Amino acid sequence: MDSEKNKSLNTSQEIIIKGIGGSPGICIGKAYIVDREGVDVVHQYYLFDSDLDAEIDRFKKAVMRASQEMDDIIASVPSEYQEQLYILEAHKVLLRDKQIFDKTCKMIESNKINAEWALKKVSTKIKRMFNEMSDSFFRERGADVAHVTDRIMRNLTGNKQQEQIQDINKRVILIAHDLSPAETSQIQLHRVQGFVTELGGKTSHTSIIARNLQVPAVLGITGATEVITSDSIIIVDGTKGVIILNPNDESLIEYEEKKNIFELRRKSMIRHSSKTAMTPNGVIKKVMGNIELLEEVVSVLDHGADGIGLYRTEFLYMTSRKLPTEEQLFENYREVVDLIYPMPVTIRTLDINGDKKAGYLNEQAETNPVLGLRAIRYCLKRPEIFKTQLRAILRAAEHGNVRLMFPMISGVKEIIAAKKILDETKKELSNKKIPFNGNIEVGMMIEVPSAAILSDLMADYVDFFSIGTNDLIQYSLAIDRGNHDVAHLFQPLHPAIIRLVKTVSEAAHNKKVKLFMCGEMAADPFHVPILLALGIDEFSMNPPSIPSVKSIIRQVSTEDMSPFLEKVLKQQSPDDIIQIVQDTYGDLFMDTIR
Ligand code: PEP
Ligand code: MG
């Protein structure tokens, strides 16, 4: 247990780790590891003698997988961050430590209990032993045992859920392996001053939520839950995508200053944001906010939005224990509609499943959920659930300015089917003499490549398109939007994406269908000149990005952008396109928060 390597775990040296900037800004505070908490609840059961060998084998395999994970993590640590390696390698050694490995095997055999239970008993005993020691060095070894046994436990249970996640009740920087939308929805978000995750990229839900909350986030920090301990001080620089563990006094002073400058700049931009975004040649572009929760409407208003371009409604389904009732949905939508009135709210129907599961729906596990029974596919299969939501939306539309939008449409038949159910719902409300507004704009997301390719046909059925680049990029480039290993390949300025948007734009404008963009591509000021050249009529994004996007729109004339667009369309790689934007509009981005 006290190998040479373990001694190096007690480091209080400053360590800088580079990840992916998911949300800009800087925070300095105490870390709170959520992954470690989650595996505390384990199933306990007794075994027959005949099952003991297989159970020990299962435990050994879980250790092997944990060891393989550690190897992968170690191999992916960049050479400049060698300090982390000591900790990770020491954890790997601990996996096979007699006190843990041998004792768990023996415990399974002698007590005839399942591996999770045995491991829990063994690890609790060791952790207690360390915790009771007066020397702080040894007490910290208890935390190392927890890291290691939790990793084995996760491999045994396959459970990465954080059961205690909702219990966080202090202002912390959240450190997690990954945060699914379901997990994030259980956190008391106002308590979080920043996020650090091992997985995820710029468009993962952790990034989106962090940007909405205006808290910094750094994702893709390999081994974060291993190298960071709860209550240690860390700096998160979401603008640069860097975290600093155990910062020294110099770094603390430097980052305190950077934080103040960032906040002053953000405030000054927000002051100007409520003004219209009009290009120098007099074209007005609407810049709207995306929300997932009713509580975010305030942020939309504070950042000078021209309305809500995307209300992701699935969160209400994910935060409750059973399907919300029509009345609950109606009340929620009506409140949003009221708060934002007279500006519009674009309510997107349920985009459940994929990466946004609601446990109580008990749907069968899917091998490939983002290509599975998600969003409109689910709603068409479960029309009663779909109609309940549609009724609530149509009723809320009586009280303000509502647009309705269908997600994940992939072909003409789907939009026809969705609209048929909408019509039936209107008739049913009418028959029952329930007040509603059926005269609302109906649109669809363009986030599946087939919908982009068929947009000329789709245009006959809708009032507007809203391009969802988060999924459009994921599906077109075959890049998992939440996988940090391929996050560098998630490129909004990929020539294929630009061409798809151009196809949609031509179809929309030929058929007089309005063209919006509500994917995160619209939130990056650097993309604005290209999106203007491509004819996007309305932008929608995480509210904190609105001021900087408006500021760029005000500086780019849309008069004769065709030479610029032609040049862009000839390029073979995202880097070439970035270079052209930089050469043509580089001056605009000197002072922008990206
Ligand atoms: C998108 O895919 O771009 C989008 C806006 O939808 P979501 O992020 O909710 O999948
Ligand atoms: Mg989407």
Side-chain angles (χ1 to χ4, degrees):
M1 197 58 83
D2 57 351
S3 70
E4 263 315 289
K5 289 233 170 83
N6 284 340
K7 285 187 183 140
S8 60
L9 299 184
N10 192 20
T11 176
S12 54
Q13 219 185 325
E14 176 174 290
I15 304 175
I16 302 171
I17 310 177
K18 179 96 187 87
I20 299 162
S23 170
I26 288 163
C27 68
I28 303 170
K30 282 191 175 177
Y32 184 97
I33 319 281
V34 284
D35 257 9
R36 217 147 350 107
E37 310 300 313
V39 287
D40 267 339
V41 180
V42 297
H43 287 296
Q44 305 180 347
Y45 48 86
Y46 288 99
L47 300 166
F48 294 114
D49 284 347
S50 55
D51 292 330
L52 292 175
D53 284 348
E55 189 67 6
I56 291 171
D57 203 35
R58 191 168 75 83
F59 172 69
K60 287 182 179 170
K61 284 196 175 122
V63 174
M64 264 164 57
R65 281 196 300 274
S67 180
Q68 183 59 51
E69 281 175 5
M70 294 301 299
D71 282 340
D72 293 346
I73 292 170
I74 290 166
S76 64
V77 174
S79 54
E80 64 266 37
Y81 302 124
Q82 290 299 310
E83 290 96 324
Q84 284 180 79
L85 286 181
Y86 293 117
I87 303 171
L88 298 172
E89 275 166 0
H91 282 184
K92 199 183 152 201
V93 172
L94 265 183
L95 284 172
R96 300 272 179 185
D97 191 286
K98 275 189 184 162
Q99 301 286 344
I100 300 172
F101 188 84
D102 291 8
K103 284 209 166 154
T104 305
C105 293
K106 277 196 192 123
M107 177 78 76
I108 296 171
E109 200 165 34
S110 56
N111 289 24
K112 301 189 198 318
I113 56 177
N114 67 313
E116 288 89 343
W117 191 2
L119 177 63
K120 172 95 178 164
K121 273 173 172 271
V122 168
S123 64
T124 307
K125 206 168 162 190
I126 305 174
K127 282 188 268 185
R128 192 175 304 138
M129 185 183 84
F130 278 120
N131 285 342
E132 281 165 8
M133 291 184 177
S134 55
D135 186 310
S136 66
F137 170 81
F138 285 106
R139 276 203 309 274
E140 282 191 39
R141 302 291 67 76
D144 297 319
V145 171
H147 274 304
V148 166
T149 50
D150 286 355
R151 182 171 289 284
I152 303 173
M153 191 71 88
R154 280 200 297 271
N155 275 287
L156 273 173
T157 59
N159 174 21
K160 307 226 166 177
Q161 300 292 312
Q162 279 69 59
E163 257 135 309
Q164 272 99 43
I165 206 163
Q166 65 273 39
D167 294 342
I168 298 168
N169 61 2
K170 47 187 175 180
R171 195 109 165 94
V172 291
I173 297 173
L174 219 67
I175 318 289
H177 175 68
D178 192 16
L179 283 172
S180 70
E183 287 156 347
T184 322
S185 66
Q186 290 172 39
I187 304 170
Q188 301 189 36
L189 293 168
H190 60 282
R191 307 263 190 206
V192 178
Q193 41 168 329
F195 291 96
V196 175
T197 61
E198 295 177 343
L199 303 186
K202 267 190 190 306
T203 58
S204 63
H205 284 275
T206 309
S207 293
I208 293 173
I209 291 216
R211 286 196 289 268
N212 280 358
L213 294 169
Q214 290 184 67
V215 297
V218 176
L219 297 95
I221 297 284
T222 307
T225 59
E226 296 287 336
V227 292
I228 306 171
T229 43
S230 275
D231 285 339
S232 58
I233 301 290
I234 70 167
I235 298 174
V236 178
D237 179 346
T239 312
K240 287 224 173 104
V242 163
I243 64 166
I244 303 178
L245 313 185
N246 312 318
N248 58 34
D249 288 350
E250 249 170 60
S251 300
L252 284 170
I253 294 167
E254 181 194 333
Y255 273 89
E256 200 59 63
E257 263 174 41
K258 280 189 177 172
K259 181 171 176 262
N260 292 340
I261 293 170
F262 179 87
E263 277 161 13
L264 282 176
R265 282 174 54 198
R266 181 175 255 167
K267 275 188 193 139
S268 131
M269 221 181 275
I270 288 173
R271 268 201 299 279
H272 294 104
S273 189
S274 54
K275 294 183 204 141
T276 311
M278 191 199 304
T279 65
N281 56 319
V283 178
I284 291 175
K285 296 285 174 182
K286 289 257 157 65
V287 184
M288 324 275 278
N290 293 349
I291 62 163
E292 311 186 330
L293 307 163
L294 168 67
E295 293 76 14
E296 290 167 330
V297 179
V298 178
S299 175
V300 171
L301 294 168
D302 284 351
H303 289 92
D306 300 310
I308 294 173
L310 168 63
Y311 181 11
R312 293 180 167 100
T313 55
E314 41 283 356
F315 284 79
L316 206 61
Y317 291 73
M318 284 158 48
T319 47
S320 39
R321 286 177 191 278
K322 53 186 181 36
L323 278 172
T325 62
E326 179 183 328
E327 243 11 71
Q328 284 168 332
L329 295 171
F330 167 68
E331 284 304 332
N332 178 285
Y333 303 156
R334 194 177 71 164
E335 211 169 329
V336 175
V337 167
D338 272 350
L339 286 169
I340 208 81
Y341 188 78
M343 297 185 289
V345 185
T346 315
I347 305 182
R348 181 177 75 182
T349 60
L350 198 51
D351 182 5
I352 205 83
N353 294 337
D355 58 352
K356 302 172 197 134
K357 286 213 183 301
Y360 58 83
L361 290 176
N362 277 330
E363 295 302 330
Q364 278 185 345
E366 295 178 300
T367 324
N368 220 337
V370 289
L371 302 181
L373 194 61
R374 176 186 167 181
I376 199 70
R377 300 166 186 183
Y378 183 78
C379 288
L380 292 177
K381 196 175 165 214
R382 300 289 306 272
E384 69 291 353
I385 293 180
F386 193 27
K387 279 188 173 178
T388 303
Q389 186 184 32
L390 290 174
R391 278 196 302 275
I393 297 171
L394 290 166
R395 287 174 54 203
E398 259 274 283
H399 300 265
N401 193 350
V402 170
R403 310 192 289 208
L404 177 74
M405 176 159 77
F406 298 118
M408 291 286 295
I409 299 284
S410 63
V412 176
K413 277 194 173 166
E414 257 168 6
I415 186 69
I416 293 175
K419 287 187 69 177
K420 184 165 171 271
I421 293 184
L422 177 65
D423 284 340
E424 285 168 16
T425 312
K426 286 182 193 173
K427 270 193 203 117
E428 285 160 18
L429 282 172
S430 205
N431 291 342
K432 289 186 183 156
K433 303 207 176 351
I434 296 171
F436 72 99
N437 180 4
N439 195 17
I440 55 175
E441 288 188 353
V442 176
M444 58 173 270
M445 300 270 302
I446 300 269
E447 52 185 343
V448 181
S450 56
I453 294 163
L454 297 178
S455 48
D456 58 327
L457 302 180
M458 302 281 190
D460 292 333
Y461 298 92
V462 289
D463 299 306
F464 64 89
F465 288 144
S466 190
I467 304 180
T469 50
N470 307 339
D471 279 315
L472 186 63
I473 297 172
Q474 158 162 272
Y475 295 130
S476 307
L477 303 184
I479 304 296
D480 177 347
R481 62 193 260 190
N483 179 345
H484 85 288
D485 290 328
V486 289
H488 62 290
L489 298 172
F490 191 96
Q491 293 159 318
L493 296 183
H494 192 290
I497 301 302
I498 306 289
R499 283 168 192 233
L500 278 177
V501 175
K502 182 170 173 278
T503 303
V504 178
S505 173
E506 283 168 359
H509 292 127
N510 282 342
K511 299 232 166 139
K512 306 240 175 318
V513 162
K514 287 183 232 162
L515 182 61
F516 311 153
M517 179 175 281
C518 65
E520 286 296 302
M521 181 178 184
D524 190 334
F526 193 78
H527 300 153
V528 168
I530 290 191
L531 298 181
L532 288 174
L534 285 166
I536 301 294
D537 299 312
E538 191 177 290
F539 298 64
S540 193
M541 63 203 63
N542 65 85
S545 294
I546 293 170
S548 45
V549 166
K550 276 192 163 182
S551 148
I552 299 295
I553 292 175
R554 292 193 193 104
Q555 299 173 70
V556 176
S557 170
T558 53
E559 216 157 33
D560 202 14
M561 293 190 91
S562 27
F564 166 67
L565 185 59
E566 269 163 35
K567 232 195 246 178
V568 166
L569 288 167
K570 280 191 194 128
Q571 303 310 310
Q572 297 184 352
S573 75
D575 285 347
D576 297 339
I577 295 177
I578 289 168
Q579 194 55 53
I580 289 186
V581 179
Q582 193 61 43
D583 292 347
T584 322
Y585 294 101
D587 289 352
L588 304 182
F589 305 112
M590 311 279 272
D591 201 32
T592 318
I593 302 165
R594 281 196 69 195

